Amino acid sequence: MVSQHRYPVAPIDPAGLAASLQPFGESRMLPRAAYVDPQVFSWEQQNFFEGGWTCVGFSSEVARPGDQRAESLGTGSVLLTRDDQGVLHAFANTCRHRGHELLTSGSAVQRAAIICPYHSWTYALHGDLRAAAGFKGQPGFDESAWSLAALPVTEWHGLIFVDGSGTAGPLADSLADLAELVAPYEPERLAIAGRHVYDAAANWKILTENYHECYHCPMIHPELCRVSPPKSGANYTTQGAWVGGWMELRDGMDTMSLDGTSLGVPLRGLDAQGLRTVIYINVFPNVLLSLHPDYVMTHRLLPLSVDRTRIECSWAFAPEALGRPGFDPGYAVQFWDITNQQDWHACESVQRGLGSEHAQPGPLSPDEDAVYQFVTRVARGYQGQPVYDTAPRAVLSG
């Protein structure tokens, strides 16, 4: 059963949220404040990004015993470690002595212990305090009382998720239906061969909303439209912490590349339909997972401010493809770098437009039903409700 994880009420107009939650075809987009008010952004950081399951990276980045990595998590950061038994751990990235970060967010080390760079307090990879300079033999000092603050952590198809609140239910429960879609692609088996980092001057929700529709594709994505019909496919009817849909490839096209040609290897778990479609998934709040016949592209969103988002984009391919002499992932990376930058340019324009006090929430077209699913999840969260449905397992449509 999916956990009924709830939030405090956000500082946003209740009437505007009520309009966003009207039935599809009658609703409006989120109130303008959702995209421009720093107070709303602060609420999101504390509740959406630190108050439940959030993706903080890839299992491959913390794969070996002794691997340590720090990543942003809401208003703070998290330290990930892999212990000698291969168990993954997550801790609040703060030393129990004076609060110094154990690692700078975005950095990584490989060593047998966690060592604070300020006063050398030293912890085991599973979080127990092992040494505190100058405290040995001090009356009343109990090392066992000063372990690192552990956080729930789980691995899901090669992605690492951390629950900063410590109160969310099992992630697997809220992604049960999605797991059935993702499993044939075996993303945990694939190897990352391309990475780009973007800095977009747009609110994180604008980026996600853009990802959920191809209503804009004929206007700004000529390369995409040449290989995938913008009106093809359908969106899934979902329960859980995700929204998504699929699109077809045009006849004669093998994948999403500038000429539709794949220079990789078809993923071994796919059936005939999987080899002719691309699936686009958003795992709330910060993962955009694009499943192709021959590679998996992942966008991880890191909100930096109400009008700025860092996007970490990676491309992963089958080991058989990487083993080919001269394999070059550029056929996929180049295509999506062009498409990504077209999207970020559009999203930045939306952000600037919403900066006007005259901007009002608009209606959704019939092609924007997945945007509606995302918007209503956010609106429910703002109201203090779970951000995902808790009804029985969904029947996937399309």
Side-chain angles (χ1 to χ4, degrees):
M1 180 176 180
V2 178
S3 171
Q4 295 275 342
H5 185 66
R6 295 174 180 268
Y7 304 93
V9 176
I12 198 164
D13 175 35
L17 296 182
S20 298
L21 289 166
Q22 291 297 307
F24 183 55
E26 303 173 22
S27 71
R28 296 293 180 264
M29 289 297 294
L30 292 167
R32 171 177 170 268
Y35 308 97
V36 301
D37 189 335
Q39 290 187 346
V40 175
F41 176 79
S42 178
W43 183 96
E44 291 172 343
Q45 287 287 81
Q46 294 175 19
N47 294 282
F48 287 162
F49 287 87
E50 198 173 357
W53 291 108
T54 299
C55 181
V56 295
F58 295 90
S59 298
S60 59
E61 296 173 322
V62 195
R64 301 170 299 162
D67 281 353
Q68 303 174 38
R69 186 174 187 87
E71 291 288 349
S72 298
L73 183 68
T75 56
S77 58
V78 61
L79 176 69
L80 304 170
T81 70
R82 186 81 64 174
D83 69 20
D84 292 338
Q85 285 69 50
V87 177
L88 181 68
H89 300 271
F91 309 102
N93 187 25
T94 175
C95 182
R96 295 300 308 278
H97 174 220
R98 295 266 296 280
H100 196 285
E101 293 174 312
L102 300 162
L103 280 180
T104 303
S105 183
S107 67
V109 298
Q110 197 344 287
R111 59 187 173 208
I114 303 165
I115 304 173
C116 178
Y118 197 15
H119 298 99
S120 297
W121 276 41
T122 301
Y123 304 85
L125 294 171
H126 53 71
D128 287 356
L129 180 64
R130 288 290 183 249
F135 282 86
K136 187 174 182 179
Q138 287 293 313
F141 183 75
D142 179 5
E143 288 185 353
S144 66
W146 299 103
S147 299
L148 296 177
L151 299 172
V153 61
T154 191
E155 297 175 86
W156 186 86
H157 289 289
L159 295 172
I160 299 173
F161 289 81
V162 171
D163 170 20
S165 71
T167 62
L171 178 69
D173 287 358
S174 64
L175 299 181
D177 293 315
L178 179 58
E180 297 177 9
L181 283 178
V182 173
Y185 293 84
E186 301 181 288
E188 63 278 11
R189 176 179 179 265
L190 308 185
I192 295 173
R195 293 179 186 266
H196 277 188
V197 177
Y198 304 93
D199 193 337
N203 184 274
W204 66 278
K205 296 185 298 300
I206 293 174
L207 301 173
T208 304
E209 290 159 1
N210 175 84
Y211 179 81
H212 279 311
E213 48 92 358
C214 214
Y215 186 35
H216 68 274
C217 291
M219 292 296 294
I220 72 169
H221 292 319
E223 295 83 5
L224 185 150
C225 292
R226 279 198 292 270
V227 294
S228 180
K231 288 187 174 294
S232 67
N235 292 314
Y236 299 110
T237 301
T238 70
Q239 265 73 39
W242 66 284
V243 176
W246 57 275
M247 293 175 61
E248 297 173 347
L249 292 168
R250 291 190 186 276
D251 291 343
M253 304 295 173
D254 297 321
T255 193
M256 302 297 276
S257 66
L258 290 175
D259 62 1
T261 299
S262 172
L263 301 180
V265 173
L267 300 182
R268 66 184 186 180
L270 301 186
D271 59 15
Q273 182 179 3
L275 295 173
R276 302 302 310 151
T277 58
V278 180
I279 296 176
Y280 299 94
I281 298 296
N282 164 226
V283 179
F284 192 87
N286 70 325
V287 176
L288 308 178
L289 193 62
S290 305
L291 308 170
H292 298 72
D294 54 337
Y295 63 91
V296 170
M297 178 177 65
T298 304
H299 294 82
R300 191 166 70 95
L301 307 183
L302 288 80
L304 302 177
S305 67
V306 70
D307 59 358
R308 184 177 165 219
T309 306
R310 175 185 171 98
I311 307 113
E312 296 181 351
C313 190
S314 66
W315 291 262
F317 302 81
E320 298 83 4
L322 273 63
R324 286 181 167 181
F327 172 75
D328 184 353
Y331 77 97
V333 175
Q334 183 184 12
F335 173 86
W336 280 111
D337 182 46
I338 292 170
T339 306
N340 281 338
Q341 294 197 58
Q342 292 165 343
D343 280 327
W344 310 154
H345 179 75
C347 292
E348 290 174 341
S349 183
V350 172
Q351 185 71 47
R352 291 191 297 270
L354 289 172
S356 169
E357 294 184 358
H358 300 289
Q360 297 291 329
L364 290 167
S365 80
D367 294 333
E368 296 174 295
D369 52 316
V371 179
Y372 175 78
Q373 291 184 50
F374 173 74
V375 163
T376 53
R377 280 159 168 73
V378 172
R380 286 197 298 272
Y382 287 162
Q383 288 185 330
Q385 303 300 315
V387 296
Y388 42 81
D389 299 323
T390 57
R393 289 165 60 83
V395 176
L396 301 178
S397 65

